[in-house]
Amino acid sequence: MFDPKAFINDKIIEIKNILKNNKAIIACSGGVDSTTCAVLTHQAIGDNIICVFIDTNFMRSGEPKKVYTRLTNPPFNLPVKMVKGQKKFMNALKGLEDAEEKRKAFRDTFYSILARVAKREHCSFLVQGTILPDVLETVKGIKTQHNVLEQIKIRPREVYGFQIVEPLVELYKYQVREVARKLGIPSESSERQPFPGPGLSVRVVGEITPKKLAAEKRATRIVERKLKVLDPKQYFTAIIDYKKENYSKTERVKKNIKNLLKKRNVSIIVETLKTKATGIRGGARLYGRVVLIEVRGKNYQCVKLSSEIFDSIQKSVMSLDDKASRVLYRVTDQNRIGKWVVAIRSVETLDFVTASITEIPWRILRDTGKLILSSNREISAVYYDLTPKPPSSIEFE
Ligand code: XMP
């Protein structure tokens, strides 16, 4: 049984022993892991820890300011330095489409900024809130988490000039939350839904452009507002280029769905996109197909389906197509041609290692979809992501 109090006591001693009287920086995004790690380290070495908040441009609207205010005020009172990185990150990711290339470019930019700050502040240590699933997924090759170096044989001291300390590296997210509560961290932070280090760069699937990123920021805001009442473990949107690819399995997928629905007078449309998304099949990474499903009924309206049918549809696609990593179901009726589609992603999970999708009332899905459509004319349609983890991951990339 995990004992957060004993964990805190042990870690404070361990951090003191490692850092002694040295100064250290900590990259703090305001998320549960990095905030807990910052508070723990602050308790261990006081103001010898400098929190660095990098504005990557991939935070949600208004978030950098909010996080800075939260961390620098009671009860945290952390010493925070805000670093502007927007241009550097946008340039580093410009033109990249592949998810792993984007993640690596993000990671390199992130650490080169931290290396500069560490040098300027005369810090030879970087403390970071890496947790166990970050390491496991990176080492297994599922996806490169931005905050994992040594475990994949990158030597931080040689490359960036600092030694890394990871006090939370043996914990799962729910254990980090227990530590956070024990440390007295307010629930606004301890119960906060996770937000990936590379932020919206992993939710703007494929190439990132300023316009696509702005559309994603607006869509995310809408989803956070509309789904809050349901209190899912994690919920957000992803935006994907609406470029279709020929799909040889269209007819077979349609036939299976027709059999599952047992409904006459519906038309079924099955499409797939050029852009790929991350999944996990047979325990390994699959950069797989995104399959779009649309079922139209009376007045050409998208048909409400039960969560059992949602599950059967995604299972049926997955069993027919071993290269599929996502199944999305259309929730908006309006037909228009735009550059992108938006996926609503919402999951229930304890450890973020496996996850099921949230049961969202159809009315809420449709209202949310309509609002997202009206937020940007370049969005063709809005879908709900039906895929559990595995075979998908929680984030799209
Ligand atoms: P996946 O997409 O791997 O997500 O199923 C599992 C959980 O981890 C979060 N996540 C990240 N967190 N850096 C982080 O700090 C990352 O690079 C990263 N990628 C995913 C994700 O939001 C989910 O909660």
Side-chain angles (χ1 to χ4, degrees):
M1 183 75 172
F2 178 64
D3 178 351
K5 192 160 179 236
F7 177 86
I8 292 167
N9 292 339
D10 292 350
K11 282 294 158 187
I12 287 183
I13 295 169
E14 194 181 307
I15 296 169
K16 275 185 180 160
N17 284 340
I18 299 173
L19 297 181
K20 302 197 172 72
N21 287 326
N22 290 295
K23 277 170 57 178
I25 57 168
I26 179 166
C28 195
S29 64
V32 191
D33 306 339
S34 63
T35 304
T36 304
C37 194
V39 171
L40 191 64
T41 313
H42 195 226
Q43 291 200 356
I45 63 164
D47 282 356
N48 264 350
I49 188 82
I50 300 163
C51 301
V52 182
F53 177 89
I54 304 176
D55 187 347
T56 60
N57 205 26
F58 300 130
M59 293 263 168
R60 289 161 288 201
S61 296
E63 200 168 15
K65 225 174 168 183
K66 257 193 250 162
V67 172
Y68 181 82
T69 309
R70 182 149 40 88
L71 295 178
T72 50
N73 279 291
F76 295 108
N77 298 316
L78 291 167
V80 181
K81 281 202 191 310
M82 189 85 156
V83 178
K84 287 191 176 142
Q86 295 98 318
K87 273 197 189 141
K88 280 205 168 72
F89 281 97
M90 285 304 272
N91 285 339
L93 272 76
K94 200 171 177 180
L96 298 182
E97 287 183 25
D98 179 87
E100 280 296 280
E101 280 180 29
K102 281 164 67 186
R103 277 183 171 270
K104 286 174 186 157
F106 183 97
R107 180 191 64 199
D108 296 346
T109 311
F110 178 75
Y111 282 108
S112 62
I113 291 176
L114 287 175
R116 222 188 46 226
V117 179
K119 198 167 172 197
R120 196 180 66 207
E121 301 291 332
H122 308 288
C123 294
S124 47
F125 288 90
L126 169 74
V127 182
Q128 59 179 12
T130 313
I131 63 171
L132 188 57
D134 299 341
V135 178
L136 295 181
E137 293 205 340
T138 305
V139 172
K140 280 198 231 158
I142 308 263
K143 61 173 70 167
T144 304
Q145 304 278 340
H146 78 290
N147 52 359
V148 175
L149 292 179
E150 279 168 322
Q151 295 89 342
I152 50 167
K153 309 274 179 289
I154 298 176
R155 295 192 184 142
R157 207 199 283 268
E158 277 85 343
V159 186
Y160 300 110
F162 44 62
Q163 185 179 329
I164 289 188
V165 181
E166 292 172 325
L168 308 181
V169 79
E170 66 234 61
L171 304 188
Y172 285 94
K173 183 75 83 186
Y174 70 93
Q175 295 171 317
V176 179
R177 292 198 203 280
E178 288 181 34
V179 172
R181 288 177 208 126
K182 213 23 139 219
L183 285 168
I185 291 175
S187 61
E188 191 198 346
S189 296
S190 69
E191 311 312 311
R192 199 167 184 252
Q193 62 158 325
F195 188 65
L200 301 180
S201 75
V202 302
R203 296 177 182 171
V204 177
V205 190
E207 189 181 358
I208 300 173
T209 63
K211 284 189 177 158
K212 198 172 162 193
L213 177 61
E216 164 62 14
K217 286 187 183 180
R218 291 189 78 171
T220 289
R221 251 171 104 150
I222 293 166
V223 160
E224 290 195 344
R225 191 156 38 91
K226 294 296 286 181
L227 300 196
K228 197 167 191 254
V229 285
L230 303 171
D231 196 24
K233 279 285 171 346
Q234 195 170 6
Y235 51 114
F236 53 88
T237 54
I239 189 163
I240 316 167
D241 294 333
Y242 187 45
K243 287 187 191 146
K244 289 190 273 185
E245 193 170 66
N246 282 341
Y247 191 30
S248 62
K249 298 185 193 295
T250 300
E251 290 311 316
R252 275 193 286 163
V253 172
K254 267 192 198 175
K255 198 170 150 206
N256 279 5
I257 296 175
K258 201 154 188 113
N259 289 340
L260 284 170
L261 295 181
K262 298 189 187 79
K263 275 189 176 136
R264 288 161 175 235
N265 304 325
V266 291
S267 58
I268 300 168
I269 298 163
V270 175
E271 295 174 332
T272 183
L273 299 176
K274 280 209 163 83
T275 306
K276 302 280 175 275
T278 303
I280 305 156
R281 310 259 338 225
R285 171 184 174 78
L286 170 73
Y287 198 35
R289 241 192 294 275
V290 179
V291 181
L292 308 181
I293 310 282
E294 197 174 322
V295 180
R296 302 276 190 164
K298 257 195 282 167
N299 306 327
Y300 211 56
Q301 277 198 345
C302 293
V303 174
K304 169 184 173 180
L305 299 176
S306 67
S307 49
E308 289 75 26
I309 296 286
F310 274 167
D311 192 47
S312 307
I313 288 180
Q314 71 80 19
K315 280 189 178 130
S316 136
V317 174
M318 290 295 164
S319 69
L320 253 181
D321 184 354
D322 60 3
K323 296 282 182 290
S325 65
R326 303 268 160 176
V327 181
L328 310 184
Y329 185 75
R330 182 162 175 151
V331 300
T332 51
D333 301 331
Q334 197 179 332
N335 267 332
R336 66 182 189 195
I337 303 294
K339 282 191 204 152
W340 313 301
V341 293
V342 165
I344 299 171
R345 181 66 164 152
S346 181
V347 294
E348 305 304 327
T349 173
L350 174 67
D351 53 13
F352 296 86
V353 176
T354 60
S356 58
I357 67 162
T358 308
E359 275 186 38
I360 303 178
W362 182 240
R363 180 184 45 81
I364 298 186
L365 277 176
R366 284 176 63 83
D367 286 353
T368 310
K370 268 191 210 156
L371 284 174
I372 293 173
L373 268 196
S374 57
S375 73
N376 192 304
R377 290 165 56 176
E378 290 295 352
I379 298 171
S380 290
V382 180
Y383 290 79
Y384 186 46
D385 185 348
L386 308 184
T387 344
K389 175 183 179 178
S392 67
S393 52
I394 294 175
E395 301 289 345
F396 268 66
E397 301 190 24

